[in-house]
Amino acid sequence: MIKSVGIDLAGTGEHKVRCLDEGAQPCDGFTFQSTPEGLAKLEERIFGDGSNPVIVFEPTGLAWLIVAIYLKARHPDCRLVRVQARKVVALRKYLRRSSKSDKIDALTLGKMPFIDPERLEEIYLPPAKIYAIQRLARQRKRLESEIGSRKKRIGSIVDGYFPRIRQAFSDPWSAHARGFLRSRLNPLAVVNAGEKALHAFLTKARQHGKADAVESHLVYLACQEAATVYKLSSSVGTIDEDFFSALQDEISRELRLMEIEEAESEAIAKHLEELYHELHPSDNLRTIPGVGEHTAPIFLATVGDPARFRSQSAFANYSGVVPAAKQSSDAEAKGLRMTKAGPAIMKWALYQSGQIGRRGDPQLACVYYREMVHYGKNHKQAMGAVMSHIGARVLAVLREDRPYELRDIDGRPVTREEARRLILLNYQVPEEIKRERRRRKQVAGKAVKSSRRKREMAAHRTNEAATAPQPVEVMTISQS
């Protein structure tokens, strides 16, 4: 009987399969493709003799999804699990230190249920709309990251060539500021046209109302300063009309691309909101302090069915907001980093929610204060504890589908205004402690870099000595 099946998935080629019996010994091996014939072959080989083995995948792209949904549809009681790539690598090195192949990887996956059965992650196949929210939320986050990078690039270019111009605008990304960047990035031409022409242009580019005269004047002064510098430097020949024309073309293109991304992000946000309210009409998630428009759909989609987590601890392990453990005899390491388990987007949402939530929830503020002031943690370590508490609130609200009730540290209900007063009075981390934690982290970082540099230099010296010419010992043979 087959007890375990390891499937090493390929991106486009054939998938390798190794089947193991009750004694963890290979009993079958074959390949298949993600075609109707290939999937039927897989099903026949692993279920044909009445076996119901544990089927183990490594999360390779999305290749696992077609195989998983086919097997689950045909055999609803089968157990499909995924394992972390780091664990597979570690076990493969132990089993076959000097070899690596797809067959060995499949065999390694098949061994996992015998070696670490408690830590196998059962594959969760969410309903289609939950899966849609997952993909939309990730796409929206990618777009927002690209928008942020593009803004940074535009800002660095404009600030480099035209100091103080962007700072003259009350909002450097307003409609009239964008209009200026799109067609007025030649300070010489702006100055020649005059301040009135600039004010008229900004008023026209502004979506609502008349342009602020003070703002227009500040922009004009910044253009004057830049124009003066460029006039004095014209003899070099680097800055001329062609330079401004090329620069204007570059910034205009960046703005067009950025606005396309913004429009797509808004369209995704609208679709996300519709799906979110359809699946979670009570909107109780957003009653948790810190959970808002961006993070609530992420939590809903990532958690999916809250009943699949047997406890808060299981959910914390899934989301990865638990510190790594390192203990030996009487020694135990403290302040270790969080584990690398869990979806990255979930950790991002927990961090963002924690940053906002600790400013409005006395219990979260107390956790952060205690970690920073009494336990000597730095900001990120303290936020790890806050993230864990946010995760517990998210799971509880989704399980019970009731609004979160704001309470003080003694469990008494409080209003939002009372909560903010409590935080201001009791849980404000002193600035000197924040500075000390930042300084300590910087010193620790430098110490780690210094230690690494010393090891590298020592290795270099060792290699140098090994490759240096060695003295030749001449043996004298005595003649008898």
Side-chain angles (χ1 to χ4, degrees), residues 224-282:
Q224 274 189 324
E225 290 177 0
T228 301
V229 171
Y230 286 136
K231 281 179 181 177
L232 294 173
S233 311
S234 60
S235 60
V236 177
T238 301
I239 308 296
D240 58 11
E241 288 298 323
D242 291 335
F243 168 82
F244 288 121
S245 176
L247 182 64
Q248 183 70 79
D249 185 53
E250 179 183 359
I251 296 298
S252 297
R253 186 177 297 107
E254 291 285 347
L255 280 169
R256 287 195 301 273
L257 291 170
M258 185 182 80
E259 287 168 355
I260 290 170
E261 290 166 346
E262 287 176 334
E264 291 297 327
S265 180
E266 287 176 12
I268 290 173
K270 184 178 179 182
H271 191 191
L272 263 176
E273 196 68 12
E274 292 170 355
L275 287 171
Y276 170 78
H277 280 293
E278 183 179 344
L279 297 173
H280 188 54
S282 65

Side-chain angles (χ1 to χ4, degrees), residues 465-478:
T467 56
Q470 303 296 315
V472 179
E473 186 176 341
V474 179
M475 296 181 64
T476 305
I477 302 175
S478 60

Side-chain angles (χ1 to χ4, degrees), residues 3 109 156 164 269 297 414:
K3 295 295 290 184
L109 290 167
S156 64
R164 300 206 319 140
V414 292

